[in-house]
Amino acid sequence: MTKQELSIKIGNRIKQLRKEKNISQAELGRLCGRDKQHIELIENHKVSANTYTLYTIALALGVELEELFKF
């Protein structure tokens, strides 16, 4: 799997979990200390999130970090 393919899968998974929990991008950003645009860029595969950002997103979504990699 390439870096871009992984970024796409993680972005899609974050979007899926966020929607399942009925959280907006703005709310997720607020919960994890990022802005809406940063969340949007991750979900739309424009940027790759670093490990700490993924960790804070997982915490904000109320899931274990490994849940972001279940695709």
Side-chain angles (χ1 to χ4, degrees):
M1 180 179 318
T2 67
K3 181 179 177 179
Q4 182 171 3
E5 289 169 335
L6 181 60
S7 180
I8 290 168
K9 289 182 180 286
I10 290 172
N12 289 341
R13 181 67 174 146
I14 290 169
K15 185 184 294 185
Q16 176 190 15
L17 291 168
R18 178 179 61 75
K19 287 185 174 187
E20 285 175 5
K21 296 184 180 286
N22 201 28
I23 299 173
S24 69
Q25 287 177 333
E27 179 68 7
L28 179 57
R30 189 187 66 72
L31 291 170
C32 66
R34 302 292 187 272
D35 58 25
K36 176 196 179 294
Q37 291 77 21
H38 193 85
I39 300 301
E40 183 177 1
L41 290 171
I42 293 169
E43 288 186 356
N44 292 318
H45 334 115
K46 304 294 184 197
V47 298
S48 296
N50 65 37
T51 306
Y52 186 73
T53 298
L54 292 176
Y55 171 73
T56 61
I57 289 171
L59 284 177
L61 291 170
V63 300
E64 297 292 327
L65 180 60
E66 65 193 38
E67 283 298 315
L68 301 183
F69 297 91
K70 291 185 177 178
F71 31 75

